[in-house]
Short mmCIF file of all heavy atoms in Angstrom, two decimals:
data_model
loop_
_atom_site.label_atom_id
_atom_site.label_comp_id
_atom_site.label_asym_id
_atom_site.label_seq_id
_atom_site.Cartn_x
_atom_site.Cartn_y
_atom_site.Cartn_z
N ARG A 54 -28.35 198.27 359.04
CA ARG A 54 -28.67 198.11 357.51
C ARG A 54 -27.86 199.17 356.81
O ARG A 54 -27.51 200.24 357.19
CB ARG A 54 -30.03 198.11 357.10
CG ARG A 54 -30.82 196.92 357.68
CD ARG A 54 -32.28 196.87 357.16
NE ARG A 54 -32.92 195.75 357.86
CZ ARG A 54 -34.07 195.74 358.25
NH1 ARG A 54 -34.93 196.78 358.03
NH2 ARG A 54 -34.61 194.74 358.91
N SER A 55 -27.33 198.72 355.54
CA SER A 55 -26.58 199.49 354.63
C SER A 55 -25.32 199.88 355.15
O SER A 55 -24.75 200.94 354.84
CB SER A 55 -27.39 200.92 354.27
OG SER A 55 -28.68 200.49 353.66
N LYS A 56 -24.77 199.10 355.96
CA LYS A 56 -23.45 199.26 356.57
C LYS A 56 -22.54 198.03 356.33
O LYS A 56 -21.49 197.96 356.85
CB LYS A 56 -23.56 199.46 358.08
CG LYS A 56 -24.25 200.74 358.46
CD LYS A 56 -24.29 201.10 359.90
CE LYS A 56 -24.93 202.37 360.19
NZ LYS A 56 -25.12 202.82 361.48
N GLY A 57 -22.98 197.12 355.38
CA GLY A 57 -22.03 196.11 355.06
C GLY A 57 -22.22 194.78 355.85
O GLY A 57 -21.62 193.75 355.66
N VAL A 58 -23.07 194.87 356.91
CA VAL A 58 -23.33 193.63 357.79
C VAL A 58 -23.84 192.49 357.06
O VAL A 58 -23.30 191.37 357.08
CB VAL A 58 -24.26 194.04 358.99
CG1 VAL A 58 -24.40 192.76 359.86
CG2 VAL A 58 -23.51 195.13 359.84
N GLY A 59 -24.95 192.72 356.32
CA GLY A 59 -25.51 191.66 355.55
C GLY A 59 -24.67 191.02 354.46
O GLY A 59 -24.41 189.77 354.24
N SER A 60 -23.98 191.91 353.76
CA SER A 60 -22.90 191.54 352.77
C SER A 60 -21.91 190.80 353.34
O SER A 60 -21.33 189.74 352.83
CB SER A 60 -22.35 192.76 351.99
OG SER A 60 -23.48 193.41 351.26
N GLY A 61 -21.33 191.18 354.52
CA GLY A 61 -20.30 190.44 355.23
C GLY A 61 -20.77 189.08 355.59
O GLY A 61 -19.96 188.09 355.49
N LEU A 62 -22.08 188.95 356.28
CA LEU A 62 -22.43 187.69 356.62
C LEU A 62 -22.55 186.75 355.39
O LEU A 62 -22.16 185.62 355.51
CB LEU A 62 -23.82 187.80 357.18
CG LEU A 62 -23.92 188.43 358.68
CD1 LEU A 62 -25.29 188.75 358.96
CD2 LEU A 62 -23.31 187.46 359.66
N MET A 63 -23.13 187.31 354.35
CA MET A 63 -23.24 186.43 353.06
C MET A 63 -21.89 185.96 352.45
O MET A 63 -21.74 184.85 351.99
CB MET A 63 -24.17 187.03 352.09
CG MET A 63 -25.62 187.20 352.56
SD MET A 63 -26.36 185.67 353.03
CE MET A 63 -26.48 184.86 351.47
N ALA A 64 -21.01 186.90 352.55
CA ALA A 64 -19.57 186.63 351.95
C ALA A 64 -18.93 185.49 352.81
O ALA A 64 -18.33 184.59 352.21
CB ALA A 64 -18.71 187.85 351.98
N PHE A 65 -19.11 185.64 354.17
CA PHE A 65 -18.62 184.55 355.04
C PHE A 65 -19.32 183.21 354.76
O PHE A 65 -18.50 182.24 354.64
CB PHE A 65 -18.90 184.96 356.46
CG PHE A 65 -18.39 184.00 357.47
CD1 PHE A 65 -17.12 183.89 357.85
CD2 PHE A 65 -19.27 183.17 358.12
CE1 PHE A 65 -16.67 183.06 358.84
CE2 PHE A 65 -18.83 182.12 359.09
CZ PHE A 65 -17.53 182.16 359.47
#
Side-chain angles (χ1 to χ4, degrees):
R54 291 187 186 144
S55 299
K56 296 183 179 181
V58 174
S60 298
L62 288 168
M63 293 306 292
F65 179 81

